[in-house]
mmCIF file of all heavy atoms in Angstrom:
data_model
loop_
_atom_site.group_PDB
_atom_site.id
_atom_site.type_symbol
_atom_site.label_atom_id
_atom_site.label_comp_id
_atom_site.label_asym_id
_atom_site.label_seq_id
_atom_site.Cartn_x
_atom_site.Cartn_y
_atom_site.Cartn_z
ATOM 1 N N GLN Z 138 -22.679 22.814 -42.402
ATOM 2 C CA GLN Z 138 -22.112 24.126 -42.720
ATOM 3 C C GLN Z 138 -21.586 24.805 -41.452
ATOM 4 O O GLN Z 138 -20.494 25.360 -41.446
ATOM 5 C CB GLN Z 138 -23.157 25.004 -43.410
ATOM 6 C CG GLN Z 138 -23.484 24.538 -44.805
ATOM 7 C CD GLN Z 138 -24.670 25.270 -45.407
ATOM 8 O OE1 GLN Z 138 -25.519 25.822 -44.709
ATOM 9 N NE2 GLN Z 138 -24.739 25.270 -46.731
ATOM 10 N N SER Z 139 -22.367 24.734 -40.379
ATOM 11 C CA SER Z 139 -21.932 25.305 -39.098
ATOM 12 C C SER Z 139 -20.707 24.570 -38.565
ATOM 13 O O SER Z 139 -19.775 25.180 -38.045
ATOM 14 C CB SER Z 139 -23.057 25.229 -38.067
ATOM 15 O OG SER Z 139 -24.136 26.028 -38.447
ATOM 16 N N LYS Z 140 -20.707 23.251 -38.710
ATOM 17 C CA LYS Z 140 -19.589 22.447 -38.203
ATOM 18 C C LYS Z 140 -18.295 22.777 -38.948
ATOM 19 O O LYS Z 140 -17.239 22.930 -38.328
ATOM 20 C CB LYS Z 140 -19.904 20.955 -38.320
ATOM 21 C CG LYS Z 140 -18.805 20.060 -37.778
ATOM 22 C CD LYS Z 140 -19.206 18.610 -37.765
ATOM 23 C CE LYS Z 140 -19.110 18.027 -39.148
ATOM 24 N NZ LYS Z 140 -19.269 16.558 -39.158
ATOM 25 N N LEU Z 141 -18.358 22.905 -40.271
ATOM 26 C CA LEU Z 141 -17.160 23.225 -41.043
ATOM 27 C C LEU Z 141 -16.608 24.603 -40.673
ATOM 28 O O LEU Z 141 -15.387 24.784 -40.559
ATOM 29 C CB LEU Z 141 -17.454 23.151 -42.536
ATOM 30 C CG LEU Z 141 -17.675 21.737 -43.075
ATOM 31 C CD1 LEU Z 141 -18.103 21.788 -44.539
ATOM 32 C CD2 LEU Z 141 -16.441 20.882 -42.900
ATOM 33 N N THR Z 142 -17.489 25.560 -40.465
ATOM 34 C CA THR Z 142 -17.059 26.896 -40.030
ATOM 35 C C THR Z 142 -16.395 26.809 -38.659
ATOM 36 O O THR Z 142 -15.359 27.430 -38.410
ATOM 37 C CB THR Z 142 -18.263 27.858 -39.991
ATOM 38 O OG1 THR Z 142 -18.826 27.943 -41.292
ATOM 39 C CG2 THR Z 142 -17.860 29.232 -39.513
ATOM 40 N N PHE Z 143 -16.977 26.021 -37.771
ATOM 41 C CA PHE Z 143 -16.437 25.832 -36.428
ATOM 42 C C PHE Z 143 -15.038 25.216 -36.488
ATOM 43 O O PHE Z 143 -14.091 25.717 -35.881
ATOM 44 C CB PHE Z 143 -17.376 24.942 -35.621
ATOM 45 C CG PHE Z 143 -16.865 24.588 -34.253
ATOM 46 C CD1 PHE Z 143 -16.848 25.534 -33.243
ATOM 47 C CD2 PHE Z 143 -16.419 23.309 -33.972
ATOM 48 C CE1 PHE Z 143 -16.379 25.207 -31.966
ATOM 49 C CE2 PHE Z 143 -15.956 22.977 -32.712
ATOM 50 C CZ PHE Z 143 -15.941 23.929 -31.710
ATOM 51 N N ILE Z 144 -14.896 24.127 -37.239
ATOM 52 C CA ILE Z 144 -13.609 23.439 -37.333
ATOM 53 C C ILE Z 144 -12.549 24.354 -37.927
ATOM 54 O O ILE Z 144 -11.418 24.422 -37.434
ATOM 55 C CB ILE Z 144 -13.753 22.144 -38.156
ATOM 56 C CG1 ILE Z 144 -14.584 21.131 -37.378
ATOM 57 C CG2 ILE Z 144 -12.386 21.558 -38.509
ATOM 58 C CD1 ILE Z 144 -15.016 19.921 -38.188
ATOM 59 N N ASP Z 145 -12.904 25.063 -38.982
ATOM 60 C CA ASP Z 145 -11.959 25.971 -39.627
ATOM 61 C C ASP Z 145 -11.461 27.043 -38.659
ATOM 62 O O ASP Z 145 -10.296 27.427 -38.694
ATOM 63 C CB ASP Z 145 -12.616 26.617 -40.843
ATOM 64 C CG ASP Z 145 -11.637 27.402 -41.675
ATOM 65 O OD1 ASP Z 145 -10.544 26.874 -41.974
ATOM 66 O OD2 ASP Z 145 -11.952 28.559 -42.015
ATOM 67 N N GLY Z 146 -12.335 27.495 -37.773
ATOM 68 C CA GLY Z 146 -11.974 28.543 -36.827
ATOM 69 C C GLY Z 146 -11.160 28.077 -35.636
ATOM 70 O O GLY Z 146 -10.640 28.891 -34.874
ATOM 71 N N LEU Z 147 -11.042 26.763 -35.446
ATOM 72 C CA LEU Z 147 -10.274 26.245 -34.308
ATOM 73 C C LEU Z 147 -8.775 26.468 -34.470
ATOM 74 O O LEU Z 147 -8.069 26.704 -33.493
ATOM 75 C CB LEU Z 147 -10.525 24.743 -34.132
ATOM 76 C CG LEU Z 147 -11.880 24.334 -33.585
ATOM 77 C CD1 LEU Z 147 -12.022 22.818 -33.635
ATOM 78 C CD2 LEU Z 147 -12.093 24.851 -32.182
ATOM 79 N N HIS Z 148 -8.303 26.391 -35.683
ATOM 80 C CA HIS Z 148 -6.865 26.521 -35.935
ATOM 81 C C HIS Z 148 -6.387 27.906 -35.515
ATOM 82 O O HIS Z 148 -6.981 28.911 -35.850
ATOM 83 C CB HIS Z 148 -6.561 26.249 -37.402
ATOM 84 C CG HIS Z 148 -7.044 24.903 -37.838
ATOM 85 N ND1 HIS Z 148 -6.416 23.735 -37.471
ATOM 86 C CD2 HIS Z 148 -8.124 24.524 -38.554
ATOM 87 C CE1 HIS Z 148 -7.073 22.715 -37.965
ATOM 88 N NE2 HIS Z 148 -8.124 23.161 -38.628
ATOM 89 N N GLY Z 149 -5.337 27.932 -34.757
ATOM 90 C CA GLY Z 149 -4.775 29.195 -34.293
ATOM 91 C C GLY Z 149 -5.296 29.642 -32.936
ATOM 92 O O GLY Z 149 -4.806 30.616 -32.384
ATOM 93 N N ILE Z 150 -6.282 28.950 -32.382
ATOM 94 C CA ILE Z 150 -6.772 29.308 -31.050
ATOM 95 C C ILE Z 150 -5.783 28.770 -30.012
ATOM 96 O O ILE Z 150 -5.367 27.606 -30.074
ATOM 97 C CB ILE Z 150 -8.196 28.756 -30.798
ATOM 98 C CG1 ILE Z 150 -9.185 29.449 -31.742
ATOM 99 C CG2 ILE Z 150 -8.594 28.945 -29.344
ATOM 100 C CD1 ILE Z 150 -10.610 28.953 -31.622
ATOM 101 N N LYS Z 151 -5.407 29.613 -29.081
ATOM 102 C CA LYS Z 151 -4.414 29.259 -28.061
ATOM 103 C C LYS Z 151 -4.868 28.018 -27.283
ATOM 104 O O LYS Z 151 -5.978 27.971 -26.761
ATOM 105 C CB LYS Z 151 -4.213 30.428 -27.113
ATOM 106 C CG LYS Z 151 -3.126 30.188 -26.101
ATOM 107 C CD LYS Z 151 -2.932 31.377 -25.196
ATOM 108 C CE LYS Z 151 -1.864 31.078 -24.183
ATOM 109 N NZ LYS Z 151 -1.672 32.162 -23.250
ATOM 110 N N GLY Z 152 -4.004 27.033 -27.229
ATOM 111 C CA GLY Z 152 -4.266 25.821 -26.462
ATOM 112 C C GLY Z 152 -4.903 24.695 -27.256
ATOM 113 O O GLY Z 152 -4.954 23.557 -26.794
ATOM 114 N N TYR Z 153 -5.400 24.972 -28.462
ATOM 115 C CA TYR Z 153 -6.025 23.940 -29.293
ATOM 116 C C TYR Z 153 -4.966 22.953 -29.763
ATOM 117 O O TYR Z 153 -3.914 23.340 -30.236
ATOM 118 C CB TYR Z 153 -6.715 24.595 -30.496
ATOM 119 C CG TYR Z 153 -7.155 23.618 -31.557
ATOM 120 C CD1 TYR Z 153 -8.229 22.770 -31.342
ATOM 121 C CD2 TYR Z 153 -6.488 23.544 -32.776
ATOM 122 C CE1 TYR Z 153 -8.632 21.876 -32.322
ATOM 123 C CE2 TYR Z 153 -6.885 22.656 -33.757
ATOM 124 C CZ TYR Z 153 -7.956 21.828 -33.528
ATOM 125 O OH TYR Z 153 -8.356 20.946 -34.498
ATOM 126 N N SER Z 154 -5.261 21.647 -29.628
ATOM 127 C CA SER Z 154 -4.282 20.623 -29.992
ATOM 128 C C SER Z 154 -4.751 19.672 -31.089
ATOM 129 O O SER Z 154 -3.998 18.811 -31.493
ATOM 130 C CB SER Z 154 -3.906 19.793 -28.758
ATOM 131 O OG SER Z 154 -3.236 20.595 -27.816
ATOM 132 N N GLY Z 155 -5.985 19.778 -31.536
ATOM 133 C CA GLY Z 155 -6.483 18.898 -32.592
ATOM 134 C C GLY Z 155 -7.823 18.291 -32.205
ATOM 135 O O GLY Z 155 -8.313 18.471 -31.097
ATOM 136 N N PHE Z 156 -8.412 17.572 -33.166
ATOM 137 C CA PHE Z 156 -9.682 16.925 -32.878
ATOM 138 C C PHE Z 156 -9.787 15.601 -33.614
ATOM 139 O O PHE Z 156 -9.089 15.348 -34.594
ATOM 140 C CB PHE Z 156 -10.871 17.826 -33.239
ATOM 141 C CG PHE Z 156 -11.184 17.901 -34.713
ATOM 142 C CD1 PHE Z 156 -12.133 17.075 -35.277
ATOM 143 C CD2 PHE Z 156 -10.529 18.799 -35.527
ATOM 144 C CE1 PHE Z 156 -12.419 17.134 -36.625
ATOM 145 C CE2 PHE Z 156 -10.798 18.881 -36.877
ATOM 146 C CZ PHE Z 156 -11.754 18.035 -37.435
ATOM 147 N N THR Z 157 -10.647 14.756 -33.104
ATOM 148 C CA THR Z 157 -11.001 13.503 -33.775
ATOM 149 C C THR Z 157 -12.510 13.476 -33.892
ATOM 150 O O THR Z 157 -13.227 14.059 -33.070
ATOM 151 C CB THR Z 157 -10.516 12.267 -32.996
ATOM 152 O OG1 THR Z 157 -11.081 12.286 -31.685
ATOM 153 C CG2 THR Z 157 -9.003 12.213 -32.917
ATOM 154 N N GLU Z 158 -12.979 12.786 -34.920
ATOM 155 C CA GLU Z 158 -14.419 12.699 -35.143
ATOM 156 C C GLU Z 158 -14.743 11.339 -35.731
ATOM 157 O O GLU Z 158 -14.068 10.877 -36.647
ATOM 158 C CB GLU Z 158 -14.860 13.807 -36.095
ATOM 159 C CG GLU Z 158 -16.341 13.834 -36.356
ATOM 160 C CD GLU Z 158 -16.756 14.978 -37.258
ATOM 161 O OE1 GLU Z 158 -15.904 15.541 -37.975
ATOM 162 O OE2 GLU Z 158 -17.940 15.291 -37.250
ATOM 163 N N LYS Z 159 -15.765 10.699 -35.193
ATOM 164 C CA LYS Z 159 -16.245 9.451 -35.772
ATOM 165 C C LYS Z 159 -17.125 9.799 -36.960
ATOM 166 O O LYS Z 159 -17.967 10.695 -36.870
ATOM 167 C CB LYS Z 159 -17.046 8.645 -34.747
ATOM 168 C CG LYS Z 159 -16.202 8.065 -33.646
ATOM 169 C CD LYS Z 159 -17.033 7.202 -32.742
ATOM 170 C CE LYS Z 159 -16.194 6.658 -31.602
ATOM 171 N NZ LYS Z 159 -17.005 5.894 -30.654
ATOM 172 N N ARG Z 160 -16.935 9.121 -38.049
ATOM 173 C CA ARG Z 160 -17.732 9.360 -39.256
ATOM 174 C C ARG Z 160 -19.105 8.710 -39.103
ATOM 175 O O ARG Z 160 -19.232 7.501 -39.017
ATOM 176 C CB ARG Z 160 -17.035 8.766 -40.484
ATOM 177 C CG ARG Z 160 -15.709 9.384 -40.771
ATOM 178 C CD ARG Z 160 -15.920 10.717 -41.419
ATOM 179 N NE ARG Z 160 -14.615 11.317 -41.703
ATOM 180 C CZ ARG Z 160 -14.488 12.543 -42.082
ATOM 181 N NH1 ARG Z 160 -15.528 13.304 -42.226
ATOM 182 N NH2 ARG Z 160 -13.304 13.024 -42.308
ATOM 183 N N CYS Z 161 -20.114 9.537 -39.037
ATOM 184 C CA CYS Z 161 -21.494 9.078 -38.959
ATOM 185 C C CYS Z 161 -22.396 10.277 -39.244
ATOM 186 O O CYS Z 161 -21.916 11.388 -39.410
ATOM 187 C CB CYS Z 161 -21.797 8.476 -37.592
ATOM 188 S SG CYS Z 161 -21.556 9.594 -36.217
ATOM 189 N N LEU Z 162 -23.690 10.043 -39.321
ATOM 190 C CA LEU Z 162 -24.606 11.154 -39.573
ATOM 191 C C LEU Z 162 -24.674 12.101 -38.382
ATOM 192 O O LEU Z 162 -24.895 13.290 -38.544
ATOM 193 C CB LEU Z 162 -26.003 10.637 -39.903
ATOM 194 C CG LEU Z 162 -26.167 9.961 -41.258
ATOM 195 C CD1 LEU Z 162 -27.602 9.477 -41.435
ATOM 196 C CD2 LEU Z 162 -25.779 10.891 -42.391
ATOM 197 N N ASP Z 163 -24.501 11.570 -37.198
ATOM 198 C CA ASP Z 163 -24.569 12.381 -35.994
ATOM 199 C C ASP Z 163 -23.204 12.993 -35.687
ATOM 200 O O ASP Z 163 -22.192 12.602 -36.242
ATOM 201 C CB ASP Z 163 -25.043 11.541 -34.812
ATOM 202 C CG ASP Z 163 -26.448 11.006 -35.018
ATOM 203 O OD1 ASP Z 163 -27.273 11.716 -35.624
ATOM 204 O OD2 ASP Z 163 -26.714 9.871 -34.579
ATOM 205 N N LEU Z 164 -23.196 13.945 -34.786
ATOM 206 C CA LEU Z 164 -21.944 14.565 -34.346
ATOM 207 C C LEU Z 164 -21.344 13.729 -33.234
ATOM 208 O O LEU Z 164 -22.023 13.394 -32.255
ATOM 209 C CB LEU Z 164 -22.219 15.985 -33.838
ATOM 210 C CG LEU Z 164 -21.029 16.713 -33.215
ATOM 211 C CD1 LEU Z 164 -19.970 17.007 -34.284
ATOM 212 C CD2 LEU Z 164 -21.468 17.988 -32.548
ATOM 213 N N ASN Z 165 -20.076 13.395 -33.374
ATOM 214 C CA ASN Z 165 -19.334 12.669 -32.357
ATOM 215 C C ASN Z 165 -17.880 13.135 -32.460
ATOM 216 O O ASN Z 165 -17.100 12.584 -33.220
ATOM 217 C CB ASN Z 165 -19.447 11.163 -32.583
ATOM 218 C CG ASN Z 165 -18.883 10.381 -31.438
ATOM 219 O OD1 ASN Z 165 -17.720 10.548 -31.084
ATOM 220 N ND2 ASN Z 165 -19.693 9.537 -30.853
ATOM 221 N N MET Z 166 -17.556 14.193 -31.727
ATOM 222 C CA MET Z 166 -16.265 14.861 -31.875
ATOM 223 C C MET Z 166 -15.587 15.030 -30.520
ATOM 224 O O MET Z 166 -16.246 15.299 -29.519
ATOM 225 C CB MET Z 166 -16.501 16.244 -32.502
ATOM 226 C CG MET Z 166 -15.262 17.056 -32.744
ATOM 227 S SD MET Z 166 -15.632 18.719 -33.375
ATOM 228 C CE MET Z 166 -16.303 18.339 -34.972
ATOM 229 N N GLN Z 167 -14.261 14.854 -30.513
ATOM 230 C CA GLN Z 167 -13.443 15.119 -29.339
ATOM 231 C C GLN Z 167 -12.393 16.146 -29.734
ATOM 232 O O GLN Z 167 -11.625 15.913 -30.664
ATOM 233 C CB GLN Z 167 -12.754 13.849 -28.844
ATOM 234 C CG GLN Z 167 -13.713 12.808 -28.336
ATOM 235 C CD GLN Z 167 -12.989 11.589 -27.782
ATOM 236 O OE1 GLN Z 167 -11.817 11.655 -27.422
ATOM 237 N NE2 GLN Z 167 -13.687 10.486 -27.705
ATOM 238 N N ILE Z 168 -12.374 17.263 -29.015
ATOM 239 C CA ILE Z 168 -11.420 18.328 -29.300
ATOM 240 C C ILE Z 168 -10.414 18.388 -28.156
ATOM 241 O O ILE Z 168 -10.804 18.525 -26.998
ATOM 242 C CB ILE Z 168 -12.136 19.683 -29.460
ATOM 243 C CG1 ILE Z 168 -13.248 19.568 -30.506
ATOM 244 C CG2 ILE Z 168 -11.137 20.767 -29.841
ATOM 245 C CD1 ILE Z 168 -14.173 20.763 -30.542
ATOM 246 N N ALA Z 169 -9.128 18.273 -28.495
ATOM 247 C CA ALA Z 169 -8.069 18.243 -27.487
ATOM 248 C C ALA Z 169 -7.547 19.646 -27.208
ATOM 249 O O ALA Z 169 -7.338 20.442 -28.128
ATOM 250 C CB ALA Z 169 -6.926 17.355 -27.963
ATOM 251 N N TRP Z 170 -7.338 19.929 -25.915
ATOM 252 C CA TRP Z 170 -6.788 21.210 -25.457
ATOM 253 C C TRP Z 170 -5.582 20.929 -24.589
ATOM 254 O O TRP Z 170 -5.529 19.932 -23.884
ATOM 255 C CB TRP Z 170 -7.852 21.982 -24.670
ATOM 256 C CG TRP Z 170 -8.983 22.342 -25.574
ATOM 257 C CD1 TRP Z 170 -10.105 21.601 -25.815
ATOM 258 C CD2 TRP Z 170 -9.067 23.472 -26.419
ATOM 259 N NE1 TRP Z 170 -10.873 22.219 -26.759
ATOM 260 C CE2 TRP Z 170 -10.262 23.374 -27.151
ATOM 261 C CE3 TRP Z 170 -8.243 24.572 -26.638
ATOM 262 C CZ2 TRP Z 170 -10.660 24.328 -28.078
ATOM 263 C CZ3 TRP Z 170 -8.634 25.529 -27.561
ATOM 264 C CH2 TRP Z 170 -9.827 25.398 -28.265
ATOM 265 N N GLN Z 171 -4.610 21.826 -24.627
ATOM 266 C CA GLN Z 171 -3.373 21.636 -23.864
ATOM 267 C C GLN Z 171 -3.623 21.564 -22.365
ATOM 268 O O GLN Z 171 -2.952 20.824 -21.656
ATOM 269 C CB GLN Z 171 -2.388 22.755 -24.172
ATOM 270 C CG GLN Z 171 -1.850 22.678 -25.572
ATOM 271 C CD GLN Z 171 -0.971 23.873 -25.916
ATOM 272 O OE1 GLN Z 171 -0.844 24.811 -25.136
ATOM 273 N NE2 GLN Z 171 -0.371 23.828 -27.084
ATOM 274 N N ASN Z 172 -4.596 22.342 -21.885
ATOM 275 C CA ASN Z 172 -4.895 22.337 -20.457
ATOM 276 C C ASN Z 172 -6.321 22.849 -20.231
ATOM 277 O O ASN Z 172 -6.950 23.383 -21.149
ATOM 278 C CB ASN Z 172 -3.878 23.164 -19.667
ATOM 279 C CG ASN Z 172 -3.775 24.576 -20.198
ATOM 280 O OD1 ASN Z 172 -4.772 25.295 -20.294
ATOM 281 N ND2 ASN Z 172 -2.569 24.987 -20.560
ATOM 282 N N LYS Z 173 -6.804 22.692 -19.025
ATOM 283 C CA LYS Z 173 -8.174 23.092 -18.715
ATOM 284 C C LYS Z 173 -8.377 24.602 -18.850
ATOM 285 O O LYS Z 173 -9.433 25.062 -19.249
ATOM 286 C CB LYS Z 173 -8.551 22.620 -17.311
ATOM 287 C CG LYS Z 173 -10.021 22.771 -17.025
ATOM 288 C CD LYS Z 173 -10.436 22.112 -15.734
ATOM 289 C CE LYS Z 173 -11.928 22.283 -15.547
ATOM 290 N NZ LYS Z 173 -12.413 21.619 -14.363
ATOM 291 N N GLY Z 174 -7.348 25.376 -18.529
ATOM 292 C CA GLY Z 174 -7.453 26.829 -18.635
ATOM 293 C C GLY Z 174 -7.702 27.285 -20.064
ATOM 294 O O GLY Z 174 -8.542 28.153 -20.307
ATOM 295 N N SER Z 175 -6.970 26.699 -21.026
ATOM 296 C CA SER Z 175 -7.185 27.088 -22.423
ATOM 297 C C SER Z 175 -8.558 26.655 -22.907
ATOM 298 O O SER Z 175 -9.208 27.373 -23.674
ATOM 299 C CB SER Z 175 -6.078 26.528 -23.327
ATOM 300 O OG SER Z 175 -6.041 25.124 -23.308
ATOM 301 N N LEU Z 176 -9.042 25.516 -22.448
ATOM 302 C CA LEU Z 176 -10.396 25.076 -22.804
ATOM 303 C C LEU Z 176 -11.438 26.026 -22.217
ATOM 304 O O LEU Z 176 -12.372 26.438 -22.906
ATOM 305 C CB LEU Z 176 -10.652 23.648 -22.325
ATOM 306 C CG LEU Z 176 -12.093 23.152 -22.459
ATOM 307 C CD1 LEU Z 176 -12.610 23.258 -23.890
ATOM 308 C CD2 LEU Z 176 -12.221 21.731 -21.939
ATOM 309 N N GLU Z 177 -11.278 26.395 -20.958
ATOM 310 C CA GLU Z 177 -12.239 27.307 -20.328
ATOM 311 C C GLU Z 177 -12.258 28.661 -21.036
ATOM 312 O O GLU Z 177 -13.327 29.249 -21.217
ATOM 313 C CB GLU Z 177 -11.928 27.459 -18.842
ATOM 314 C CG GLU Z 177 -12.272 26.203 -18.055
ATOM 315 C CD GLU Z 177 -11.823 26.253 -16.614
ATOM 316 O OE1 GLU Z 177 -11.067 27.173 -16.218
ATOM 317 O OE2 GLU Z 177 -12.217 25.341 -15.860
ATOM 318 N N ASP Z 178 -11.092 29.147 -21.459
ATOM 319 C CA ASP Z 178 -11.046 30.392 -22.234
ATOM 320 C C ASP Z 178 -11.827 30.237 -23.532
ATOM 321 O O ASP Z 178 -12.586 31.121 -23.927
ATOM 322 C CB ASP Z 178 -9.600 30.788 -22.553
ATOM 323 C CG ASP Z 178 -8.832 31.264 -21.330
ATOM 324 O OD1 ASP Z 178 -9.476 31.560 -20.292
ATOM 325 O OD2 ASP Z 178 -7.586 31.330 -21.416
ATOM 326 N N PHE Z 179 -11.645 29.114 -24.205
ATOM 327 C CA PHE Z 179 -12.345 28.857 -25.463
ATOM 328 C C PHE Z 179 -13.862 28.807 -25.270
ATOM 329 O O PHE Z 179 -14.621 29.319 -26.095
ATOM 330 C CB PHE Z 179 -11.845 27.550 -26.087
ATOM 331 C CG PHE Z 179 -12.630 27.144 -27.288
ATOM 332 C CD1 PHE Z 179 -12.528 27.858 -28.473
ATOM 333 C CD2 PHE Z 179 -13.480 26.056 -27.245
ATOM 334 C CE1 PHE Z 179 -13.269 27.495 -29.596
ATOM 335 C CE2 PHE Z 179 -14.212 25.684 -28.353
ATOM 336 C CZ PHE Z 179 -14.108 26.408 -29.539
ATOM 337 N N LEU Z 180 -14.306 28.193 -24.170
ATOM 338 C CA LEU Z 180 -15.744 28.054 -23.925
ATOM 339 C C LEU Z 180 -16.452 29.399 -23.763
ATOM 340 O O LEU Z 180 -17.673 29.480 -23.911
ATOM 341 C CB LEU Z 180 -15.993 27.178 -22.694
ATOM 342 C CG LEU Z 180 -15.568 25.712 -22.832
ATOM 343 C CD1 LEU Z 180 -15.786 24.981 -21.510
ATOM 344 C CD2 LEU Z 180 -16.286 25.025 -23.972
ATOM 345 N N SER Z 181 -15.704 30.450 -23.488
ATOM 346 C CA SER Z 181 -16.314 31.773 -23.333
ATOM 347 C C SER Z 181 -16.278 32.591 -24.625
ATOM 348 O O SER Z 181 -16.744 33.726 -24.640
ATOM 349 C CB SER Z 181 -15.631 32.542 -22.204
ATOM 350 O OG SER Z 181 -14.299 32.848 -22.558
ATOM 351 N N THR Z 182 -15.750 32.012 -25.710
ATOM 352 C CA THR Z 182 -15.653 32.756 -26.962
ATOM 353 C C THR Z 182 -16.958 32.716 -27.753
ATOM 354 O O THR Z 182 -17.763 31.794 -27.619
ATOM 355 C CB THR Z 182 -14.529 32.197 -27.868
ATOM 356 O OG1 THR Z 182 -14.882 30.864 -28.283
ATOM 357 C CG2 THR Z 182 -13.183 32.215 -27.171
ATOM 358 N N GLU Z 183 -17.131 33.714 -28.591
ATOM 359 C CA GLU Z 183 -18.288 33.764 -29.483
ATOM 360 C C GLU Z 183 -18.248 32.596 -30.474
ATOM 361 O O GLU Z 183 -19.292 32.056 -30.851
ATOM 362 C CB GLU Z 183 -18.304 35.096 -30.241
ATOM 363 C CG GLU Z 183 -19.568 35.352 -31.004
ATOM 364 C CD GLU Z 183 -20.793 35.540 -30.102
ATOM 365 O OE1 GLU Z 183 -20.654 35.968 -28.948
ATOM 366 O OE2 GLU Z 183 -21.904 35.249 -30.587
#
């Protein structure tokens, strides 16, 4: 439930470029950002 809310909220965030996820019971996700600055901005968000 938390993961779906998280993924849904990624769309529209500046610098977000998409994500890939391996299908398994555990979390294994890679989220692409246009540059390190946009990622660092995202890491400080609620």
Side-chain angles (χ1 to χ4, degrees):
Q138 290 171 337
S139 295
K140 182 174 78 170
L141 289 174
T142 300
F143 175 73
I144 291 169
D145 189 47
L147 287 173
H148 303 286
I150 294 178
K151 185 179 179 182
Y153 169 72
S154 295
F156 77 95
T157 58
E158 182 178 19
K159 290 184 182 176
R160 298 283 180 190
C161 59
L162 289 179
D163 297 325
L164 174 67
N165 189 303
M166 181 184 293
Q167 295 183 21
I168 306 169
W170 295 90
Q171 291 175 355
N172 55 55
K173 191 171 181 177
S175 61
L176 172 56
E177 288 173 350
D178 289 345
F179 173 70
L180 294 176
S181 67
T182 66
E183 190 66 27

